[in-house]
C-alpha cells in the first residue's frame, strides 16, 4: 500500500490529493516497519516516502541502508536504493546496485526502467538507452520507457531521435516533457508550447519540476527558477533529482537555484 500510494502521488496526483497520497503512504510504511521491523521491503517503502513526500533525505538514506542490510537479495530494495543513491550523486554505488537488482529479476521490465534511470543520471546514455530498449522488449506498451529513452537521446544531443521515441499516439507527462524540449531544439516552438499547454491543463502545478526543466532547456532562466521555487514550495517529488539533473545545468550558477539546493540539504 505504501509504495502504491507513493507512486500515485508522484506520477498521477494533482492538487491536494498529492499530500493525501503521501500521508497515507507514510502511515502504511510506518505501520509496516512497526509490524515487521526486520523486513527490508518495509524500510525501503518508508525510505521512498520520506524522500519523495517529505524531503527527509537523510532519514531516507538511513532507511534505504537498513533495507539493504536486511534484504540484500531483494530486487525491489536494491533498485529503489540505487535510484535514491543516484539522485544524491552517488552514481558509482548506484549503478552496480541497480545492475545486481536487474540480475535478480531479469524478466521484470520495471527493473530495467530503474536501471535506465540510474544510468541516465550517471551520464551513461548509450547504456541507459540499451536498458530502456530491454524494458520495451519485455513490455512494448510501456509509454514511460519510450519517454525515458527519449530523454537520454536528448542528453546525447539527438533531438530528432528523441522526438521519434516520445511522439507516441498516447503519451503521459514524461513523453510531453520530452517533446517540449525536443521540438524546441528542432526549432518547432509552437509544437513545444502546445505540449507544455497540455501538461498545464492536465496537471497544473503538479508538474512544477518538469516545467523548470523545460524552461531551463528553452533558455528562459527566470521562468525556470520560478518553477524550481514552486516545486520546492509544493514539495514536488521530482526535485529529489535536482543535484544530478542535466536538464537543469543552465541554472546551476544562479543564486536562486543554489539557495534551493542548500535548503534541500541532500546527503553527500
Amino acid at each position: 500500500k505504501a509504495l502504491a500510494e507513493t507512486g500515485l502521488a508522484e506520477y498521477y496526483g494533482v492538487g491536494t490529493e498529492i499530500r493525501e497520497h503521501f500521508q497515507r503512504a507514510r502511515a502504511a510504511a510506518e505501520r509496516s516497519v512497526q509490524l515487521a521491523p526486520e523486513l527490508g521491503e518495509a524500510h525501503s517503502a518508508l525510505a521512498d516516502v520520506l524522500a519523495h513526500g517529505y524531503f527527509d533525505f537523510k532519514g531516507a538514506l538511513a532507511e534505504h541502508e537498513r533495507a539493504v542490510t536486511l534484504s540484500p537479495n531483494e530486487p525491489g530494495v536494491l533498485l529503489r536504493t540505487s535510484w535514491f543513491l543516484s539522485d544524491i550523486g552517488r552514481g558509482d554505488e548506484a549503478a552496480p546496485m541497480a545492475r545486481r537488482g536487474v540480475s535478480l529479476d531479469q524478466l521484470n521490465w520495471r527493473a530495467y526502467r530503474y536501471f535506465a534511470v540510474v544510468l541516465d543520471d550517471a551520464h551513461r546514455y548509450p547504456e541507459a538507452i540499451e536498458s530502456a530498449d530491454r524494458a520495451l522488449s519485455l513490455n512494448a506498451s510501456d509509454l514511460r520507457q519510450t519517454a525515458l529513452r527519449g530523454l537520454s537521446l536528448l542528453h546525447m544531443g539527438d533531438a530528432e531521435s528523441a522526438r521519434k521515441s516520445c511522439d507516441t499516439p498516447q503519451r503521459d507527462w514524461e513523453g510531453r516533457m520530452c517533446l517540449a524540449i525536443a521540438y524546441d531544439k528542432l526549432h518547432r516552438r509552437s509544437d513545444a508550447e502546445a505540449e507544455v499547454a497540455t501538461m498545464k491543463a492536465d496537471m497544473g502545478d503538479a508538474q512544477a519540476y518538469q516545467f523548470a526543466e523545460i524552461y531551463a532547456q528553452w533558455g528562459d532562466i527566470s521562468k525556470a527558477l520560478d518553477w524550481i521555487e514552486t516545486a520546492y514550495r509544493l514539495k514536488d517529488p521530482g526535485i529529489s533529482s535536482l543535484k544530478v539533473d542535466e536538464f537543469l545545468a543552465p541554472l546551476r550558477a544562479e543564486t536562486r537555484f543554489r539557495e534551493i539546493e542548500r535548503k534541500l540539504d541532500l546527503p553527500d
Side-chain angles (χ1 to χ4, degrees):
K1 179 177 172 62
L3 292 173
E5 292 282 3
T6 299
L8 286 170
E10 288 185 281
Y11 296 106
Y12 306 108
V14 295
T16 58
E17 67 185 43
I18 295 174
R19 298 314 311 164
E20 292 167 1
H21 283 306
F22 276 130
Q23 288 164 7
R24 289 193 291 270
R26 183 166 189 167
E30 289 177 341
R31 181 63 173 157
S32 296
V33 170
Q34 181 183 26
L35 291 172
E38 300 305 309
L39 180 65
E41 282 276 8
H43 291 275
S44 179
L46 180 56
D48 219 27
V49 70
L50 288 177
H52 297 141
Y54 293 88
F55 289 2
D56 180 2
F57 300 108
K58 290 177 177 158
L61 178 59
E63 290 297 328
H64 275 304
E65 289 175 340
R66 179 65 173 154
V68 172
T69 298
L70 291 170
S71 302
N73 297 311
E74 173 55 48
V77 167
L78 295 173
L79 291 164
R80 283 188 291 276
T81 301
S82 69
W83 195 335
F84 177 81
L85 292 174
S86 175
D87 275 349
I88 64 173
R90 289 165 59 173
D92 289 346
E93 296 173 62
M97 186 177 290
R99 188 180 297 279
R100 175 161 168 73
V102 168
S103 73
L104 293 168
D105 201 4
Q106 295 182 37
L107 297 180
N108 185 348
W109 55 273
R110 292 183 179 87
Y112 291 94
R113 176 196 288 171
Y114 274 84
F115 195 23
V117 171
V118 169
L119 291 167
D120 184 83
D121 283 347
H123 307 167
R124 293 163 61 174
Y125 305 125
E127 293 173 82
I129 292 167
E130 181 181 345
S131 188
D133 286 340
R134 177 61 175 150
L136 286 165
S137 74
L138 295 169
N139 179 10
S141 64
D142 182 13
L143 297 178
R144 286 193 61 215
Q145 201 60 54
T146 61
L148 290 170
R149 180 179 61 191
L151 297 176
S152 289
L153 287 163
L154 281 172
H155 289 314
M156 293 176 68
D158 190 346
E160 177 57 23
S161 293
R163 182 199 65 77
K164 290 177 180 177
S165 185
C166 295
D167 191 7
T168 53
Q170 292 181 316
R171 51 184 176 269
D172 62 7
W173 57 265
E174 284 177 301
R176 294 194 181 281
M177 171 194 157
C178 170
L179 285 176
I181 297 172
Y183 280 140
D184 179 71
K185 293 185 182 300
L186 294 168
H187 309 292
R188 295 172 57 178
R189 177 54 76 92
S190 62
D191 290 325
E193 290 174 345
E195 297 296 334
V196 171
T198 300
M199 291 172 68
K200 289 180 177 177
D202 285 349
M203 301 190 74
D205 287 357
Q207 300 282 264
Y209 183 76
Q210 285 70 40
F211 295 142
E213 293 176 299
I214 292 167
Y215 285 113
Q217 287 301 298
W218 287 7
D220 191 336
I221 302 303
S222 178
K223 193 169 286 188
L225 290 169
D226 289 344
W227 279 112
I228 276 290
E229 289 172 345
T230 299
Y232 178 80
R233 175 173 56 82
L234 296 177
K235 284 188 165 57
D236 186 320
I239 208 169
S240 63
S241 62
L242 173 143
K243 190 173 184 178
V244 295
D245 189 345
E246 279 300 292
F247 288 128
L248 298 181
L251 309 182
R252 298 203 184 280
E254 300 291 330
T255 301
R256 292 166 64 190
F257 182 89
R258 290 180 174 178
E259 178 61 16
I260 294 296
E261 196 168 31
R262 183 192 66 78
K263 288 193 288 189
L264 281 176
D265 194 23
L266 291 163
D268 293 326

